[in-house]
Amino acid sequence: MRLKEDTRKGLQKLGLHTVRDILYHFPARYADESTFISIAQLRDGDHATVRATITALKARKSWKTKVALTEATIEDVSGKLHVIWFNQPYLASMLSVGQTVELTGKVSIHNDKPTLTNPVVREEKVLPIDSMDSLFGKDAHGVLTPIYPETKGVSSLWFSHTIARALAELKEVKDHIPSEILARYSLPSLTTALIWIHTPKSRTDATIARKRFAFDEIFIINLARAQERAKLKERQAYAIDPSVVDIDSFITKLGFPLTGAQQKVVDHILKDLTNDIPMSRLLEGDVGSGKTAVAAIATYATVMNRPLKQGTKQTFGNLQVAYMAPTELLATQQFESFIELFKDTNIQVALITGSGCRKFPTKVSSHHTSWTTISRAQLSKWIANGEIPIVIGTHALIQKSLVFKHLALAIIDEQHRFGLNQRKSLAKKDSHVPHLLSMTATPIPRTLALTIYGDLDLSLLDELPAGRKQVETTLVTPEKRDETYAKIASLLAEGRQAYIICPRIDEPDPDKQKAVIAKSVEAEAKRLQRDVFPKARIGILHSKMTKDKKTEAMEAFARHETDILVATSVVEVGVNVPNATAIIIEGAERFGLAQLHQLRGRVQRSSHQPYCYLFAETKSERTAERMKHFTHAKNGFELAEYDLEMRGTGELAGSSQWGMSDIGMEALRNRKLVEAARLEAYALIERDITISNHAELANRVLAMSGVHFE
Ligand code: ADP
Ligand code: MG
């Protein structure tokens, strides 16, 4: 195929390299031409929808009132249209010149010049499987035009033409999904589905084709997980006997009674550990739900057991535990928590990160409560000969040079995936595979958990420790901003600290997105310093900063060298600063509720009354309704389900990180489809662990297994 330079670049940007890639570039949705109106046909007072290309775009402040304005010119073949948005400064960074948009709003015409005021921008990302209303234009009855994710040089029209030609030459493609499975769910063959998804004759055709591809993806992910799980079951882990350990007295020393949820989860885990089949458990619990105590109890039970060698009872040495945290800061915090929990037990705890190693206590059986710095070489030696039972660290833990003698349990905090390969690499010289306890505070709905964590058993910590103060949550309208700032100022005067979170900005190009967010964080910090909190010490945190700068900013805040931390929503979830008792979230309506809940959890860490202020840019009923739901919700998982139902998968925190396509993600709203794909996958692996009867399917599963979500 001969391509224009622009087209070639555009395709590259979209990650499309082959004809096959292009065939798998599915329409984001389908437009019904009969519902659009051309710009030349617009009349004063119309409420209309136009589809056109942005040719100019700028953001500014109005002269007198200082209201934020975003202005654009859009053009279709019939003419030009002026567009203006009030109070939505972030639109300018979400949209870009050259992009095709669909806008719905009120038209006014002065001196023959039409203007569209505050129109709704149609996002091309929405593609529900079952709610046809948003996949197709309302009341569609005309010709369906596929609308593709496009970029400069490759328009939807280009895709339509190119794909039509490719489909015309398409021979029957061999289907990788077993035909009896397709038949069971009335799903079309691969060839039919490709034709229907790109050139549907009806809505039903398109919907069925999408279902087929959604099933396809979820099925393959599940096959990969089922296979991994089956392989793991063939491996051996150290069986841990909780009955030889005085767990109750360890729990008593925690200083608080376990919550019902903690007790239940501890029971699950101890039961798993008694098996010599490796445990694979995911512990989901909101920030502050007490995952550390659970991890510590499992750790204690493990290190108080002795390694068994070939059936003989060995009375010397001990089993080891590795605890991995996602950042140096969190690893260090967890090291300190563990010192606190293990200081009376005579059990040594070590820390290993990129910037050095520590060991507690300074000397074995000394009554010191402090740690000492040691060399990496020395620590490696003590880990290799089994002398140090508990090692906490970052990714440095799974480096080749580090070898455990009797690693029995690996605990992973906030890591998205941690598969068999990593487990094996932790326990290289050992025939045993460690038990795995994975912990997360990221609330995700059940269908997503079942899919991406299909190889793990789930436990939920759905109860906060008693006595935790409920966060007082308020939706703040623009005219009440000053009142809120005054409240924050008085909290600062009492010696508390506050987070201010800048709005989420949706920008398809991740680099551009980071830059835009960084700029908004810096600008907001400056504005707050100048106009609102002149006396406060203000720090900033965003993802464009270097790792060192980020740590520095977080540590300064933790040590109360700054009073306010202006940050993006991506600041580390587990960071613990108990003295921070208020959080302002700008542009709150842009966040998923589960994500807001996570942000709110950061200020719920002390005995002071915590406050959460949601600054919203709109006063719509829907926003009010969502926020009401948010104020009353008990936990993040409830909110994740609610988000999925009401707003789709776009709201899931960090949805890009799960490594699934838009169609796959959207299918998560379809519980039946997800469960069917899962059932079929596990049944197939049960019969045939290597998928030897379906070569093409086995290839695809292999490709999927290579994807790690880290
Ligand atoms: P997370 O689940 O976010 O990791 P942590 O384990 O850090 O939560 O616990 C948060 C705080 O709650 C800690 O200060 C911890 O000591 C305390 N905590 C944990 N469990 C309980 C409990 N059952 N009763 C009272 N306080 C608890
Ligand atoms: Mg934690």
Side-chain angles (χ1 to χ4, degrees), residues 256-259 262 285-293 334 461 465-466 468 576 605:
F256 44 73
L258 296 184
T259 64
Q262 280 172 322
D286 277 353
V287 171
S289 58
K291 294 187 288 298
T292 305
Q334 213 57 333
L461 274 185
R468 203 59 62 81
N576 188 6
R605 307 215 127 205

Side-chain angles (χ1 to χ4, degrees), residues 15 201 219 257 264 280 332 399-400 403 421 430 553 593 597 640 683:
K201 294 233 161 36
F219 180 59
K264 199 178 64 199
S280 296
T332 309
Q399 276 164 16
K400 283 213 176 66
V403 180
N421 286 340
D430 201 319
L593 296 185
H597 181 72

